[in-house]
PDB file of all heavy atoms in Angstrom:
ATOM      1  N   ARG A 415      20.463-161.028 -48.655  1.00  0.00           N
ATOM      2  CA  ARG A 415      20.432-159.563 -48.667  1.00  0.00           C
ATOM      3  C   ARG A 415      21.747-159.063 -49.237  1.00  0.00           C
ATOM      4  O   ARG A 415      22.812-159.294 -48.673  1.00  0.00           O
ATOM      5  CB  ARG A 415      20.225-159.015 -47.257  1.00  0.00           C
ATOM      6  CG  ARG A 415      20.176-157.476 -47.210  1.00  0.00           C
ATOM      7  CD  ARG A 415      20.058-156.953 -45.794  1.00  0.00           C
ATOM      8  NE  ARG A 415      18.801-157.342 -45.179  1.00  0.00           N
ATOM      9  CZ  ARG A 415      18.460-156.998 -43.928  1.00  0.00           C
ATOM     10  NH1 ARG A 415      19.289-156.283 -43.187  1.00  0.00           N
ATOM     11  NH2 ARG A 415      17.296-157.367 -43.438  1.00  0.00           N
ATOM     12  N   VAL A 416      21.684-158.367 -50.351  1.00  0.00           N
ATOM     13  CA  VAL A 416      22.893-157.908 -51.017  1.00  0.00           C
ATOM     14  C   VAL A 416      23.560-156.807 -50.199  1.00  0.00           C
ATOM     15  O   VAL A 416      22.901-155.944 -49.617  1.00  0.00           O
ATOM     16  CB  VAL A 416      22.576-157.416 -52.447  1.00  0.00           C
ATOM     17  CG1 VAL A 416      21.624-156.237 -52.450  1.00  0.00           C
ATOM     18  CG2 VAL A 416      23.872-157.077 -53.189  1.00  0.00           C
ATOM     19  N   THR A 417      24.879-156.848 -50.135  1.00  0.00           N
ATOM     20  CA  THR A 417      25.691-155.824 -49.482  1.00  0.00           C
ATOM     21  C   THR A 417      26.789-155.401 -50.454  1.00  0.00           C
ATOM     22  O   THR A 417      27.044-156.095 -51.449  1.00  0.00           O
ATOM     23  CB  THR A 417      26.336-156.360 -48.193  1.00  0.00           C
ATOM     24  OG1 THR A 417      27.314-157.363 -48.550  1.00  0.00           O
ATOM     25  CG2 THR A 417      25.294-156.967 -47.266  1.00  0.00           C
ATOM     26  N   PRO A 418      27.461-154.284 -50.180  1.00  0.00           N
ATOM     27  CA  PRO A 418      28.569-153.890 -51.054  1.00  0.00           C
ATOM     28  C   PRO A 418      29.625-154.976 -51.176  1.00  0.00           C
ATOM     29  O   PRO A 418      30.250-155.130 -52.242  1.00  0.00           O
ATOM     30  CB  PRO A 418      29.125-152.639 -50.369  1.00  0.00           C
ATOM     31  CG  PRO A 418      27.945-152.057 -49.650  1.00  0.00           C
ATOM     32  CD  PRO A 418      27.155-153.238 -49.166  1.00  0.00           C
ATOM     33  N   ASP A 419      29.843-155.738 -50.134  1.00  0.00           N
ATOM     34  CA  ASP A 419      30.862-156.788 -50.176  1.00  0.00           C
ATOM     35  C   ASP A 419      30.396-158.033 -50.915  1.00  0.00           C
ATOM     36  O   ASP A 419      31.208-158.759 -51.493  1.00  0.00           O
ATOM     37  CB  ASP A 419      31.280-157.185 -48.747  1.00  0.00           C
ATOM     38  CG  ASP A 419      32.020-156.070 -48.029  1.00  0.00           C
ATOM     39  OD1 ASP A 419      32.647-155.244 -48.718  1.00  0.00           O
ATOM     40  OD2 ASP A 419      31.958-156.022 -46.790  1.00  0.00           O
ATOM     41  N   SER A 420      29.085-158.303 -50.879  1.00  0.00           N
ATOM     42  CA  SER A 420      28.591-159.558 -51.465  1.00  0.00           C
ATOM     43  C   SER A 420      28.064-159.395 -52.878  1.00  0.00           C
ATOM     44  O   SER A 420      27.825-160.392 -53.570  1.00  0.00           O
ATOM     45  CB  SER A 420      27.468-160.132 -50.592  1.00  0.00           C
ATOM     46  OG  SER A 420      26.293-159.339 -50.682  1.00  0.00           O
ATOM     47  N   SER A 421      27.865-158.146 -53.346  1.00  0.00           N
ATOM     48  CA  SER A 421      27.191-157.901 -54.620  1.00  0.00           C
ATOM     49  C   SER A 421      27.953-158.542 -55.781  1.00  0.00           C
ATOM     50  O   SER A 421      29.089-158.172 -56.088  1.00  0.00           O
ATOM     51  CB  SER A 421      27.033-156.398 -54.848  1.00  0.00           C
ATOM     52  OG  SER A 421      26.217-156.155 -55.970  1.00  0.00           O
ATOM     53  N   ARG A 422      27.307-159.490 -56.425  1.00  0.00           N
ATOM     54  CA  ARG A 422      27.915-160.269 -57.499  1.00  0.00           C
ATOM     55  C   ARG A 422      27.463-159.731 -58.857  1.00  0.00           C
ATOM     56  O   ARG A 422      26.310-159.310 -59.030  1.00  0.00           O
ATOM     57  CB  ARG A 422      27.505-161.735 -57.351  1.00  0.00           C
ATOM     58  CG  ARG A 422      28.097-162.684 -58.378  1.00  0.00           C
ATOM     59  CD  ARG A 422      27.587-164.091 -58.149  1.00  0.00           C
ATOM     60  NE  ARG A 422      28.132-164.676 -56.937  1.00  0.00           N
ATOM     61  CZ  ARG A 422      29.252-165.391 -56.892  1.00  0.00           C
ATOM     62  NH1 ARG A 422      29.941-165.600 -58.007  1.00  0.00           N
ATOM     63  NH2 ARG A 422      29.682-165.887 -55.748  1.00  0.00           N
ATOM     64  N   THR A 423      28.354-159.742 -59.821  1.00  0.00           N
ATOM     65  CA  THR A 423      28.015-159.286 -61.169  1.00  0.00           C
ATOM     66  C   THR A 423      27.171-160.332 -61.885  1.00  0.00           C
ATOM     67  O   THR A 423      27.444-161.538 -61.803  1.00  0.00           O
ATOM     68  CB  THR A 423      29.294-159.017 -61.981  1.00  0.00           C
ATOM     69  OG1 THR A 423      30.053-157.997 -61.321  1.00  0.00           O
ATOM     70  CG2 THR A 423      28.962-158.564 -63.400  1.00  0.00           C
ATOM     71  N   LEU A 424      26.121-159.871 -62.577  1.00  0.00           N
ATOM     72  CA  LEU A 424      25.307-160.757 -63.401  1.00  0.00           C
ATOM     73  C   LEU A 424      26.100-161.081 -64.662  1.00  0.00           C
ATOM     74  O   LEU A 424      26.568-160.177 -65.371  1.00  0.00           O
ATOM     75  CB  LEU A 424      23.985-160.095 -63.772  1.00  0.00           C
ATOM     76  CG  LEU A 424      22.862-160.115 -62.727  1.00  0.00           C
ATOM     77  CD1 LEU A 424      23.238-159.358 -61.467  1.00  0.00           C
ATOM     78  CD2 LEU A 424      21.585-159.540 -63.317  1.00  0.00           C
ATOM     79  N   GLU A 425      26.261-162.357 -64.942  1.00  0.00           N
ATOM     80  CA  GLU A 425      27.094-162.795 -66.055  1.00  0.00           C
ATOM     81  C   GLU A 425      26.336-163.765 -66.948  1.00  0.00           C
ATOM     82  O   GLU A 425      25.367-164.394 -66.512  1.00  0.00           O
ATOM     83  CB  GLU A 425      28.369-163.462 -65.520  1.00  0.00           C
ATOM     84  CG  GLU A 425      29.234-162.546 -64.673  1.00  0.00           C
ATOM     85  CD  GLU A 425      30.397-163.282 -64.031  1.00  0.00           C
ATOM     86  OE1 GLU A 425      30.427-164.528 -64.129  1.00  0.00           O
ATOM     87  OE2 GLU A 425      31.257-162.622 -63.422  1.00  0.00           O
ATOM     88  N   PRO A 426      26.769-163.918 -68.196  1.00  0.00           N
ATOM     89  CA  PRO A 426      26.129-164.890 -69.094  1.00  0.00           C
ATOM     90  C   PRO A 426      26.138-166.292 -68.503  1.00  0.00           C
ATOM     91  O   PRO A 426      27.052-166.677 -67.769  1.00  0.00           O
ATOM     92  CB  PRO A 426      26.984-164.801 -70.360  1.00  0.00           C
ATOM     93  CG  PRO A 426      27.572-163.426 -70.324  1.00  0.00           C
ATOM     94  CD  PRO A 426      27.810-163.130 -68.869  1.00  0.00           C
ATOM     95  N   ASP A 427      25.080-167.041 -68.842  1.00  0.00           N
ATOM     96  CA  ASP A 427      24.909-168.428 -68.392  1.00  0.00           C
ATOM     97  C   ASP A 427      24.786-168.512 -66.872  1.00  0.00           C
ATOM     98  O   ASP A 427      25.294-169.447 -66.241  1.00  0.00           O
ATOM     99  CB  ASP A 427      26.053-169.312 -68.892  1.00  0.00           C
ATOM    100  CG  ASP A 427      26.155-169.321 -70.409  1.00  0.00           C
ATOM    101  OD1 ASP A 427      25.118-169.114 -71.070  1.00  0.00           O
ATOM    102  OD2 ASP A 427      27.257-169.511 -70.931  1.00  0.00           O
ATOM    103  N   MET A 428      24.101-167.547 -66.314  1.00  0.00           N
ATOM    104  CA  MET A 428      23.870-167.499 -64.871  1.00  0.00           C
ATOM    105  C   MET A 428      22.376-167.310 -64.624  1.00  0.00           C
ATOM    106  O   MET A 428      21.696-166.622 -65.383  1.00  0.00           O
ATOM    107  CB  MET A 428      24.659-166.336 -64.268  1.00  0.00           C
ATOM    108  CG  MET A 428      24.447-166.100 -62.785  1.00  0.00           C
ATOM    109  SD  MET A 428      25.390-164.651 -62.192  1.00  0.00           S
ATOM    110  CE  MET A 428      27.046-165.348 -62.070  1.00  0.00           C
ATOM    111  N   LEU A 429      21.852-167.929 -63.570  1.00  0.00           N
ATOM    112  CA  LEU A 429      20.482-167.655 -63.163  1.00  0.00           C
ATOM    113  C   LEU A 429      20.479-166.479 -62.183  1.00  0.00           C
ATOM    114  O   LEU A 429      21.353-166.367 -61.330  1.00  0.00           O
ATOM    115  CB  LEU A 429      19.844-168.876 -62.493  1.00  0.00           C
ATOM    116  CG  LEU A 429      19.620-170.122 -63.350  1.00  0.00           C
ATOM    117  CD1 LEU A 429      18.749-171.132 -62.607  1.00  0.00           C
ATOM    118  CD2 LEU A 429      19.009-169.779 -64.688  1.00  0.00           C
ATOM    119  N   TYR A 430      19.477-165.636 -62.318  1.00  0.00           N
ATOM    120  CA  TYR A 430      19.327-164.475 -61.451  1.00  0.00           C
ATOM    121  C   TYR A 430      17.944-164.536 -60.812  1.00  0.00           C
ATOM    122  O   TYR A 430      16.925-164.612 -61.507  1.00  0.00           O
ATOM    123  CB  TYR A 430      19.484-163.185 -62.249  1.00  0.00           C
ATOM    124  CG  TYR A 430      19.155-161.916 -61.488  1.00  0.00           C
ATOM    125  CD1 TYR A 430      19.875-161.554 -60.357  1.00  0.00           C
ATOM    126  CD2 TYR A 430      18.125-161.086 -61.911  1.00  0.00           C
ATOM    127  CE1 TYR A 430      19.569-160.395 -59.657  1.00  0.00           C
ATOM    128  CE2 TYR A 430      17.811-159.919 -61.226  1.00  0.00           C
ATOM    129  CZ  TYR A 430      18.538-159.577 -60.099  1.00  0.00           C
ATOM    130  OH  TYR A 430      18.227-158.429 -59.401  1.00  0.00           O
ATOM    131  N   LEU A 431      17.894-164.531 -59.481  1.00  0.00           N
ATOM    132  CA  LEU A 431      16.634-164.577 -58.739  1.00  0.00           C
ATOM    133  C   LEU A 431      16.395-163.211 -58.108  1.00  0.00           C
ATOM    134  O   LEU A 431      17.258-162.701 -57.384  1.00  0.00           O
ATOM    135  CB  LEU A 431      16.703-165.669 -57.669  1.00  0.00           C
ATOM    136  CG  LEU A 431      15.443-165.962 -56.852  1.00  0.00           C
ATOM    137  CD1 LEU A 431      15.464-167.409 -56.347  1.00  0.00           C
ATOM    138  CD2 LEU A 431      15.284-165.021 -55.663  1.00  0.00           C
ATOM    139  N   VAL A 432      15.224-162.642 -58.367  1.00  0.00           N
ATOM    140  CA  VAL A 432      14.884-161.351 -57.772  1.00  0.00           C
ATOM    141  C   VAL A 432      13.508-161.459 -57.114  1.00  0.00           C
ATOM    142  O   VAL A 432      12.501-161.730 -57.760  1.00  0.00           O
ATOM    143  CB  VAL A 432      14.941-160.208 -58.813  1.00  0.00           C
ATOM    144  CG1 VAL A 432      14.039-160.470 -60.015  1.00  0.00           C
ATOM    145  CG2 VAL A 432      14.620-158.864 -58.159  1.00  0.00           C
ATOM    146  N   ASP A 433      13.499-161.276 -55.796  1.00  0.00           N
ATOM    147  CA  ASP A 433      12.291-161.335 -54.973  1.00  0.00           C
ATOM    148  C   ASP A 433      12.103-159.945 -54.383  1.00  0.00           C
ATOM    149  O   ASP A 433      12.969-159.449 -53.652  1.00  0.00           O
ATOM    150  CB  ASP A 433      12.492-162.390 -53.879  1.00  0.00           C
ATOM    151  CG  ASP A 433      11.249-162.612 -53.014  1.00  0.00           C
ATOM    152  OD1 ASP A 433      10.315-161.802 -53.090  1.00  0.00           O
ATOM    153  OD2 ASP A 433      11.241-163.590 -52.245  1.00  0.00           O
ATOM    154  N   SER A 434      10.985-159.310 -54.698  1.00  0.00           N
ATOM    155  CA  SER A 434      10.811-157.909 -54.318  1.00  0.00           C
ATOM    156  C   SER A 434       9.328-157.608 -54.144  1.00  0.00           C
ATOM    157  O   SER A 434       8.462-158.417 -54.473  1.00  0.00           O
ATOM    158  CB  SER A 434      11.405-156.991 -55.390  1.00  0.00           C
ATOM    159  OG  SER A 434      10.642-157.102 -56.601  1.00  0.00           O
ATOM    160  N   GLY A 435       9.047-156.439 -53.620  1.00  0.00           N
ATOM    161  CA  GLY A 435       7.660-156.040 -53.459  1.00  0.00           C
ATOM    162  C   GLY A 435       7.543-154.559 -53.174  1.00  0.00           C
ATOM    163  O   GLY A 435       8.530-153.883 -52.874  1.00  0.00           O
ATOM    164  N   GLY A 436       6.320-154.063 -53.269  1.00  0.00           N
ATOM    165  CA  GLY A 436       6.065-152.648 -53.046  1.00  0.00           C
ATOM    166  C   GLY A 436       4.964-152.419 -52.032  1.00  0.00           C
ATOM    167  O   GLY A 436       4.055-153.237 -51.880  1.00  0.00           O
ATOM    168  N   GLN A 437       5.082-151.308 -51.323  1.00  0.00           N
ATOM    169  CA  GLN A 437       4.021-150.833 -50.440  1.00  0.00           C
ATOM    170  C   GLN A 437       3.338-149.658 -51.140  1.00  0.00           C
ATOM    171  O   GLN A 437       3.930-148.598 -51.332  1.00  0.00           O
ATOM    172  CB  GLN A 437       4.586-150.389 -49.090  1.00  0.00           C
ATOM    173  CG  GLN A 437       5.103-151.489 -48.201  1.00  0.00           C
ATOM    174  CD  GLN A 437       3.978-152.298 -47.560  1.00  0.00           C
ATOM    175  OE1 GLN A 437       2.809-152.151 -47.913  1.00  0.00           O
ATOM    176  NE2 GLN A 437       4.342-153.157 -46.622  1.00  0.00           N
ATOM    177  N   TYR A 438       2.089-149.883 -51.534  1.00  0.00           N
ATOM    178  CA  TYR A 438       1.267-148.855 -52.156  1.00  0.00           C
ATOM    179  C   TYR A 438       0.117-148.526 -51.200  1.00  0.00           C
ATOM    180  O   TYR A 438      -0.301-149.376 -50.405  1.00  0.00           O
ATOM    181  CB  TYR A 438       0.707-149.346 -53.491  1.00  0.00           C
ATOM    182  CG  TYR A 438       1.765-149.708 -54.504  1.00  0.00           C
ATOM    183  CD1 TYR A 438       2.364-150.967 -54.502  1.00  0.00           C
ATOM    184  CD2 TYR A 438       2.163-148.796 -55.482  1.00  0.00           C
ATOM    185  CE1 TYR A 438       3.340-151.301 -55.432  1.00  0.00           C
ATOM    186  CE2 TYR A 438       3.133-149.128 -56.423  1.00  0.00           C
ATOM    187  CZ  TYR A 438       3.726-150.376 -56.392  1.00  0.00           C
ATOM    188  OH  TYR A 438       4.687-150.710 -57.312  1.00  0.00           O
ATOM    189  N   LEU A 439      -0.401-147.322 -51.272  1.00  0.00           N
ATOM    190  CA  LEU A 439      -1.493-146.948 -50.384  1.00  0.00           C
ATOM    191  C   LEU A 439      -2.679-147.887 -50.493  1.00  0.00           C
ATOM    192  O   LEU A 439      -3.432-148.066 -49.537  1.00  0.00           O
ATOM    193  CB  LEU A 439      -1.950-145.516 -50.683  1.00  0.00           C
ATOM    194  CG  LEU A 439      -1.051-144.388 -50.191  1.00  0.00           C
ATOM    195  CD1 LEU A 439      -1.619-143.032 -50.620  1.00  0.00           C
ATOM    196  CD2 LEU A 439      -0.912-144.428 -48.667  1.00  0.00           C
ATOM    197  N   ASP A 440      -2.853-148.512 -51.656  1.00  0.00           N
ATOM    198  CA  ASP A 440      -4.003-149.387 -51.847  1.00  0.00           C
ATOM    199  C   ASP A 440      -3.652-150.871 -51.830  1.00  0.00           C
ATOM    200  O   ASP A 440      -4.512-151.711 -52.091  1.00  0.00           O
ATOM    201  CB  ASP A 440      -4.733-149.044 -53.149  1.00  0.00           C
ATOM    202  CG  ASP A 440      -3.816-148.994 -54.362  1.00  0.00           C
ATOM    203  OD1 ASP A 440      -2.584-149.113 -54.193  1.00  0.00           O
ATOM    204  OD2 ASP A 440      -4.334-148.824 -55.486  1.00  0.00           O
TER     205      ASP A 440
END
């Protein structure tokens, strides 16, 4: 869970993992 203290800059030659989701009425 990203926090202001832990937030890392995305840089070249780096892997970035993003796990997310949405709540929609349907």
Side-chain angles (χ1 to χ4, degrees):
R415 180 184 295 180
V416 62
T417 68
D419 293 333
S420 70
S421 189
R422 182 182 290 269
T423 300
L424 279 63
E425 299 173 352
D427 301 333
M428 176 182 282
L429 294 191
Y430 172 62
L431 185 154
V432 56
D433 184 347
S434 67
Q437 290 286 10
Y438 300 84
L439 285 178
D440 52 354

